[in-house]
């Protein structure tokens, strides 16, 4: 027994205490995952040592056969996990097993309200990791030594998982990490050979480090009775011990893919889809990509974790290699193993390597194909869309080459369903186009109701022409990067002249021209009354129920984008809308017969109302109210 020196007791970081509390209470029915987490850490530690040893063989200390060992003692109620991986120094122990290492997680925990903390689902949003040992143990001892250091550099960490932990220096012959879990009374079932073996197979078959368990055998005498004191221990490898992506697809079942996903993505829930590909030829790589079923908490954070786990010829190189996927596919998780990069590759080198771009475009294509395949399952795709749709909408702007493909994956609300759920594809829309219709019509506004009830839709509803209702903040920006789909141009119904093409017959068009002529005088008077506040006044056939609407010139920035830019402090030139009047409306008839001040007031009211209906803001709302009240009490 070595003696411990330099012993100190330290408190856990506040967020660790929160996490422990949250975990112990919310993961009770999922307790077995502790084993997955600890094996996953041990495998990571072996990966890291293998990587370090690439240019420093001595770091193996003569023990290059990487492995994980699991033992248990039923009587004592303990489970011991041992690895001969990289190990930790004293400082690393304090940092890794006293705080939350993963950046962003502690920020996230800080923001949780008391109510949210009770939610078991939230815990799945970040890897629970090492601390999950406390779901089953009331006392954990970790003994570890960093590979390549002296035996005297060993460290012992101990905690009961309450508020604090102790660390001390100890002598440790072997490098790597040993974790002893002292099981809680009600978790003693885990100290069982059969249980442990089946859990290892369930969670760790895909890890390429062997997980071994001891098999104790006693010699037998001539009558077949066990001979006391004759025990011999042999170590048996329990898992498959081959990296999953290396195995042929045909030999891997869904459960194995799902278990592997949970390992790479630090997620609790199943992935929605995956794509496993081996490529040989000019580029040589294997990729295994997944679409998660839920969003990580840092999906919209600039420095959120994203990218694939990178291996070069089976050697783990780095986590979160973001150079292999575009930003708009940042939700994709998985592994890339390639022969085309050097083992010494660093993040900086990745940025300059032309091979990286080639692999990136290949993985981008794979990911889009994977989504296309997923789209055949409506329910699963809807889950995907509700979770990651607004990220995918960044695609057309970022990736011009794949614009058409991405557009095919987008989903919209539409007048076809009049539902706020975005579940209609462009292909659906095209399939329902009216005879003679050549364009894809859409409207953009802030919020679903603003799109659904917009006066601009009146003529479309009357004629039964479908219009896509775009109500996400990002939508106007999205549409500025999409000009057509399958050769059909996109048209914003609130911009420019309305031309319904073949859908309108010659007679209708002629009638419109005649009305325009008949109202020339009215139009002139209104323009005079409104002066410089409008660019132009016209009569329109867009409207059936509303008296007026405002339209923006075709290439002008829309109201939604203006608000975003203004909120970002961007100075914008003033836009002057075009006011369009509905010649069939009673208020317009009344306007026509009004004179003097009454005429001007009514003209202004019609303009202001049209701006409000568009979700715009009035410069002088009080003046509008006053005019309206005068009119109402007349
Ligand atoms: P994560 O694995 O997501 O980083 P964990 O809570 O599982 O989070 O582990 C925290 C850190 O503790 C790891 O990143 C690693 O640095 C260290 N660690 C845990 N287990 C081991 C081990 N067996 N060997 C070496 N380091 C370990
Ligand atoms: Mg971990």
């Amino acid at each position: 027994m070595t003696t411990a020196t330099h012993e100190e007791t330290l408190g856990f970081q506040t967020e660790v205490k929160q996490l422990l509390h949250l975990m112990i209470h919310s993961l009770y029915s999922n307790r077995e995952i502790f084993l997955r987490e600890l094996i996953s850490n041990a495998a990571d530690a072996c990966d890291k040592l293998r990587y370090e040893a690439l240019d420093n063989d001595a770091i193996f200390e003569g023990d290059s056969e990487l492995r994980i060992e699991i033992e248990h003692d039923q009587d004592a109620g303990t489970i011991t996990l041992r690895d001969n991986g990289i190990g930790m120094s004293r400082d690393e122990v304090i940092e890794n097993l006293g705080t939350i290492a993963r950046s962003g997680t502690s920020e996230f925990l800080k923001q949780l309200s008391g109510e949210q903390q009770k939610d078991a689902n939230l815990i799945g949003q970040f890897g629970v990791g090492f601390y999950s040992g406390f779901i089953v143990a009331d006392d954990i001892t970790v003994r570890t030594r960093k590979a390549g250091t002296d035996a005297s550099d060993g460290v012992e960490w101990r905690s009961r998982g309450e508020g604090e932990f102790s660390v001390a220096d100890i002598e440790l012959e072997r490098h790597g990490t040993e974790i002893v879990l002292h099981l809680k009374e009600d978790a003693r079932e885990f100290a069982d050979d059969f249980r442990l073996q089946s859990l290892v197979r369930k969670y760790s078959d895909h890890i390429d480090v062997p997980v071994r368990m001891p098999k104790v055998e006693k010699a037998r005498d001539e009558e077949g009775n066990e001979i006391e004191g004759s025990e011999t221990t042999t170590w048996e490898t329990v898992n498959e011990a081959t990296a999953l992506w290396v195995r042929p697809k045909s030999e891997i079942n869904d459960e194995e893919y799902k278990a592997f996903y949970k390992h790479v993505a630090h997620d609790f829930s199943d992935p929605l889809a995956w794509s496993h590909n081996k490529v040989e030829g000019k580029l040589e790589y294997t990729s295994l990509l997944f679409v998660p079923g839920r969003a990580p908490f840092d999906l919209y954070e600039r420095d959120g974790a994203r990218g694939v786990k990178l291996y070069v010829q089976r050697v783990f190189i780095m986590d979160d290699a973001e150079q292999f996927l575009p930003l708009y596919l940042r939700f994709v998780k998985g592994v890339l193993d390639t022969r085309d990069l050097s083992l010494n590759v660093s993040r900086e080198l990745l940025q300059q390597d032309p091979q990286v771009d080639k692999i990136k475009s290949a993985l981008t294509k794979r990911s889009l194909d994977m989504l296309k395949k997923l789209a055949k399952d409506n329910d699963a795709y809807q889950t995907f869309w509700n979770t990651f749709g607004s990220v995918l909408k960044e695609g057309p702007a970022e990736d011009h080459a794949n614009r058409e493909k991405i557009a095919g994956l987008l989903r919209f609300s539409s007048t076809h369903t009049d539902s706020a759920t975005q579940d209609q594809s462009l292909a659906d829309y095209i399939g329902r186009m009216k005879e003679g219709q050549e364009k894809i019509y859409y409207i953009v506004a802030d919020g679903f109701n603003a799109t659904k009830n917009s006066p601009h839709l009146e003529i479309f509803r009357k004629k039964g022409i479908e219009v896509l209702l775009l109500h996400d903040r990002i939508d106007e920006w999205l549409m500025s990067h999409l000009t057509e789909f399958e050769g059909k141009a996109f048209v914003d119904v609130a911009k420019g002249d309305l031309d319904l093409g073949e859908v309108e017959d010659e007679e209708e068009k002629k009638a419109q021209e005649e009305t325009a002529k008949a109202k020339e005088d009215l139009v002139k008077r209104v323009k005079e009354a409104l002066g410089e506040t409008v660019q132009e006044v016209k009569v329109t056939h867009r409207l059936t129920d509303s008296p007026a609407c405002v339209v923006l010139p075709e290439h002008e920035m829309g109201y939604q984008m203006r608000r975003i830019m203004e909120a970002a402090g961007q100075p914008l030139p003033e836009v002057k809308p075009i006011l369009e009047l509905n010649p069939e409306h009673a208020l317009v008839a009344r306007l026509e017969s009004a004179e003097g001040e009454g005429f001007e007031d009514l003209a202004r009211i019609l303009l202001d109302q049209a701006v409000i209906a568009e979700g715009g803001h009035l410069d002088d709302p009080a003046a509008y109210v006053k005019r309206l009240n005068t009119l109402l009490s007349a």
Side-chain angles (χ1 to χ4, degrees):
M1 188 74 204
T2 53
T3 43
T5 54
H6 186 192
E7 189 166 340
E8 60 181 328
T9 301
L10 297 165
F12 283 120
Q13 184 193 21
T14 319
E15 291 75 35
V16 174
K17 285 187 231 166
Q18 281 181 333
L19 179 66
L20 282 169
H21 184 81
L22 184 59
M23 203 163 54
I24 292 166
H25 291 90
S26 58
L27 290 181
Y28 190 81
S29 53
N30 234 324
R31 295 192 296 178
E32 59 186 47
I33 57 114
F34 80 94
L35 197 66
R36 173 183 84 201
E37 294 294 328
L38 298 182
I39 293 177
S40 159
N41 284 349
D44 286 349
C46 291
D47 272 348
K48 285 181 198 155
L49 183 60
R50 195 186 284 139
Y51 179 68
E52 290 289 319
L54 286 175
D55 44 31
N56 174 21
D57 214 25
I59 203 167
F60 280 132
E61 300 178 14
D63 180 16
S64 62
E65 203 187 306
L66 296 168
R67 62 194 181 271
I68 299 167
E69 291 169 355
I70 304 179
E71 286 183 89
H72 69 278
D73 182 333
Q74 210 152 21
D75 299 329
T78 59
I79 297 175
T80 303
L81 279 105
R82 210 174 291 122
D83 67 68
N84 60 345
I86 188 90
M88 286 177 274
S89 67
R90 184 181 177 112
D91 287 347
E92 286 168 341
V93 167
I94 294 173
E95 169 76 19
N96 295 335
L97 312 184
T99 62
I100 294 180
R102 199 155 272 265
S103 75
T105 306
S106 61
E107 279 308 305
F108 178 72
L109 276 169
K110 267 186 216 153
Q111 288 163 14
L112 294 185
S113 68
E115 259 322 290
Q116 289 170 315
Q117 288 187 16
K118 294 197 190 105
D119 184 354
N121 283 326
L122 275 171
I123 194 98
Q125 301 202 2
F126 34 81
V128 284
F130 170 80
Y131 301 107
S132 65
F134 287 109
I135 308 173
V136 294
D138 51 18
D139 195 321
I140 299 181
T141 305
V142 178
R143 296 191 189 88
T144 184
R145 178 167 70 73
K146 186 111 181 172
T149 62
D150 295 336
S152 60
D153 290 328
V155 189
E156 183 174 271
W157 176 102
R158 247 191 104 163
S159 175
R160 301 182 60 80
E162 282 154 359
E164 49 189 38
F165 62 91
S166 66
V167 270
D169 293 344
I170 55 163
E171 282 274 324
L172 217 51
E173 261 332 298
R174 47 178 287 176
H175 65 267
T177 304
E178 175 180 271
I179 299 176
V180 184
L181 304 170
H182 184 269
L183 298 172
K184 294 177 184 172
E185 229 18 80
D186 65 357
R188 283 186 158 226
E189 59 183 87
F190 289 105
D192 173 82
D193 224 20
F194 183 74
R195 186 75 193 270
L196 286 171
Q197 283 195 25
S198 61
L199 288 178
V200 169
R201 290 210 189 92
K202 177 168 173 191
Y203 290 124
S204 309
D205 250 358
H206 58 268
I207 284 174
D208 74 344
V209 183
V211 178
R212 309 197 315 184
M213 288 177 62
K215 189 165 181 197
V216 181
E217 268 170 323
K218 289 183 184 170
R220 291 177 190 270
D221 61 21
E222 279 139 31
E223 274 132 53
N225 299 317
E226 292 179 341
I227 304 172
E228 278 312 310
S230 70
E231 290 90 350
T232 48
T233 305
T234 47
W235 288 92
E236 280 193 334
T237 299
V238 183
N239 62 338
E240 185 95 17
T242 319
L244 182 93
W245 64 91
V246 176
R247 291 163 51 196
K249 271 202 239 191
S250 56
E251 287 172 19
I252 309 173
N253 65 36
D254 288 1
E255 290 316 310
E256 290 176 293
Y257 277 119
K258 289 179 189 170
F260 183 71
Y261 163 76
K262 291 173 186 171
H263 168 69
V264 283
H266 294 274
D267 192 357
F268 269 80
S269 39
D270 287 340
L272 289 174
W274 55 85
S275 168
H276 184 186
N277 299 284
K278 197 172 260 170
V279 175
E280 278 160 9
K282 264 197 181 154
L283 289 174
E284 257 182 64
Y285 68 84
T286 301
S287 61
L288 174 50
L289 304 176
F290 294 92
V291 180
R294 71 158 107 216
F297 62 88
D298 52 6
L299 185 62
Y300 293 100
E301 275 167 35
R302 224 168 241 281
D303 52 1
R306 58 193 176 85
V308 294
K309 218 174 158 94
L310 175 65
Y311 289 76
V312 172
Q313 299 178 45
R314 307 273 308 284
V315 178
F316 167 76
I317 306 292
M318 67 179 82
D319 278 312
D320 308 331
E322 71 245 21
Q323 293 80 357
F324 296 95
L325 283 169
L327 200 55
Y328 74 93
L329 293 175
R330 61 183 174 275
F331 49 83
V332 172
K333 299 279 178 211
V335 171
L336 168 68
D337 188 350
T338 175
R339 291 183 160 276
D340 296 322
L341 297 171
S342 129
L343 282 163
N344 304 319
V345 76
S346 63
R347 271 181 211 278
E348 290 66 39
L349 287 172
L350 280 182
Q351 277 161 10
Q352 302 154 11
D353 196 319
Q355 300 287 9
V356 172
D357 281 337
K358 288 187 196 143
I359 300 178
K360 179 179 177 179
S361 52
L363 295 194
T364 301
K365 194 175 161 296
R366 298 258 179 234
S367 305
L368 296 175
D369 287 347
M370 166 166 64
L371 292 175
K372 192 170 168 187
K373 218 166 133 200
L374 179 66
K376 294 194 180 129
D377 176 345
N378 279 336
D379 288 345
Y381 196 74
Q382 201 59 45
T383 304
F384 160 75
W385 183 259
N386 295 343
T387 316
F388 298 115
S390 51
V391 177
L392 196 66
K393 282 179 179 177
E394 297 171 14
E398 188 184 352
D399 186 356
H400 281 243
N402 286 306
R403 248 184 320 188
E404 182 91 1
K405 258 201 178 122
I406 301 165
L409 295 168
L410 301 176
R411 293 294 179 269
F412 302 94
S413 296
S414 141
T415 51
H416 178 67
T417 53
D418 267 344
S419 144
T421 312
Q422 299 173 12
D423 56 2
Q424 301 299 313
S425 71
L426 292 174
D428 294 336
Y429 181 99
I430 288 176
R432 289 189 292 257
M433 272 169 56
K434 285 250 155 200
E435 212 177 299
Q437 185 184 341
E438 289 141 13
K439 298 184 170 140
I440 301 174
Y441 295 102
Y442 69 93
I443 183 163
V444 193
D446 256 349
F448 174 66
N449 284 330
T451 56
K452 185 182 156 200
N453 301 323
S454 167
H456 292 286
L457 298 185
E458 289 170 10
I459 180 77
F460 291 89
R461 291 200 190 274
K462 186 175 158 202
K463 294 203 170 277
I465 301 173
E466 184 173 352
V467 179
L468 300 174
L469 306 174
L470 275 56
H471 49 92
D472 267 359
R473 287 214 83 180
I474 190 177
D475 283 342
E476 190 182 336
W477 183 72
L478 162 70
M479 295 315 289
S480 70
H481 291 93
L482 285 178
T483 44
E484 55 171 53
F485 180 73
E486 290 184 1
K488 311 246 176 331
F490 286 105
V491 173
D492 181 341
V493 302
K495 279 187 190 173
D497 280 333
L498 182 66
D499 178 8
L500 295 179
E502 301 273 308
V503 181
E504 282 172 315
D505 54 37
E506 284 310 310
E507 255 169 66
E508 275 176 306
K509 283 189 186 158
K510 215 164 145 213
Q512 285 161 17
E513 275 163 31
E514 275 165 20
T515 321
K517 224 176 174 101
K519 300 290 171 189
E520 259 174 11
D521 187 43
L522 171 69
V523 162
K524 216 171 126 208
R525 285 172 68 206
V526 174
K527 173 70 178 118
E528 269 166 23
L530 297 177
E532 288 307 300
T533 47
V534 292
Q535 187 172 102
E536 200 185 338
V537 179
K538 290 180 180 176
V539 286
T540 188
H541 59 290
R542 283 181 215 264
L543 304 173
T544 57
D545 302 331
S546 306
C549 67
V550 284
V551 176
L552 290 175
E554 200 169 335
H555 299 292
E556 192 60 65
M557 188 184 290
Y559 286 108
Q560 195 194 29
M561 188 93 113
R562 286 187 77 84
R563 270 196 295 280
I564 294 173
M565 305 279 279
E566 276 162 6
Q570 293 265 4
L572 292 172
E574 203 191 338
V575 266
K576 285 187 197 160
I578 299 162
L579 177 69
E580 297 196 352
L581 299 170
N582 175 2
E584 315 290 339
H585 200 279
L587 272 181
V588 174
R590 184 158 159 191
L591 178 68
E592 214 168 359
S593 56
E595 302 279 345
E597 210 173 311
F599 179 84
E600 192 178 325
D601 277 354
L602 189 49
R604 287 200 178 277
I605 285 171
L606 291 179
L607 172 63
D608 287 351
Q609 279 185 343
V611 170
I612 293 172
E614 215 62 43
H617 294 287
L618 298 183
D619 285 340
D620 189 354
Y624 164 72
V625 172
K626 201 168 155 209
R627 279 189 211 108
L628 188 64
N629 288 345
T630 311
L631 182 81
L632 290 173
S633 46

